[in-house]
């Protein structure tokens, strides 16, 4: 970065490098092939176990009804960059490359679901680091 009058400025090359790194990071979402049924259910079980961990601390059970089952399926596919996400709710015409907004009444579990997914990604990072 160039420095002029005490302020930093990005060079054109630095901007291009940052843009390239950002493109690579958003295009290379996951190393997992969730189109493989066995791989998908391994991830589903991980999510379920993480959910149980969160709810047990509040002396509750992690229940997943049919609608939430589809939502978790969608989120697993979506956050792993799997095109199957578009087929979970075909009537909604969701696209994997679009942003995501969870909407619902207070207390329906939006925050807990995102906490579980954050933990899911942290576990994936640890596993990748251990494999190196």
């Amino acid at each position: 970065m160039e420095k002029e009058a005490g302020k930093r400025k990005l060079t054109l090359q630095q901007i291009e490098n940052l843009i390239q790194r950002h493109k690579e990071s958003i295009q290379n979402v996951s190393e997992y092939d969730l189109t493989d049924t066995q791989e998908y259910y391994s991830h589903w079980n991980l999510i379920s176990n993480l959910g149980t961990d969160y709810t047990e601390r509040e002396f509750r059970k992690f229940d997943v009804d049919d609608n939430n089952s589809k939502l978790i399926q969608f989120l697993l596919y979506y956050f792993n960059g799997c095109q199957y996400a578009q087929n979970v709710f075909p009537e909604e015409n969701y696209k994997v490359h679009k942003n995501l907004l969870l909407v619902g009444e207070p207390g329906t579990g939006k925050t807990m679901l995102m906490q579980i997914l954050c933990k899911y990604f942290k576990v994936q990072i640890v596993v990748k680091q251990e494999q190196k």
Side-chain angles (χ1 to χ4, degrees):
M1 285 184 232
E2 295 177 6
K3 232 177 173 185
E4 182 180 310
K7 295 189 178 190
R8 295 179 177 205
K9 291 185 178 185
L10 289 173
T11 65
L12 184 57
Q13 183 62 43
Q14 289 171 319
I15 292 170
E16 289 173 0
N17 289 343
L18 289 169
I19 291 170
Q20 185 60 34
R21 277 193 293 173
H22 180 259
K23 281 181 185 178
E24 290 170 4
S25 72
I26 63 174
Q27 292 172 353
N28 190 11
V29 177
S30 176
E31 297 176 10
Y32 302 106
D33 179 13
L34 296 188
T35 61
D36 175 358
T37 305
Q38 186 175 356
E39 185 73 22
Y40 169 79
Y41 281 110
S42 294
H43 289 258
W44 175 266
N45 288 331
L46 176 57
I47 292 282
S48 180
N49 288 322
L50 292 171
T52 298
D53 290 346
Y54 271 95
T55 55
E56 280 182 345
R57 69 181 182 189
E58 299 172 1
F59 306 105
R60 296 185 301 152
K61 185 178 178 192
F62 184 66
D63 285 323
V64 181
D65 62 18
D66 288 340
N67 189 50
N68 286 330
S69 176
K70 286 182 79 173
L71 177 61
I72 292 171
Q73 179 184 25
F74 172 78
L75 293 172
L76 267 174
Y77 287 146
Y78 180 88
F79 284 118
N80 282 288
C82 180
Q83 293 298 317
Y84 280 14
Q86 298 175 174
N87 302 331
V88 176
F89 295 107
E91 66 281 1
E92 299 296 334
N93 198 26
Y94 293 135
K95 300 295 179 199
V96 174
H97 65 280
K98 300 278 182 166
N99 294 327
L100 183 66
L101 174 67
L102 293 180
V103 178
E105 295 293 321
T108 57
K110 299 176 299 293
T111 301
M112 183 180 11
L113 185 57
M114 289 298 104
Q115 289 172 330
I116 292 167
L117 285 169
C118 286
K119 187 66 175 176
Y120 165 74
F121 288 117
K122 286 179 184 177
V123 169
Q124 283 186 356
I125 290 168
V126 169
V127 169
K128 287 178 189 177
Q129 289 174 345
E130 289 175 353
Q131 291 175 345
K132 288 182 181 180

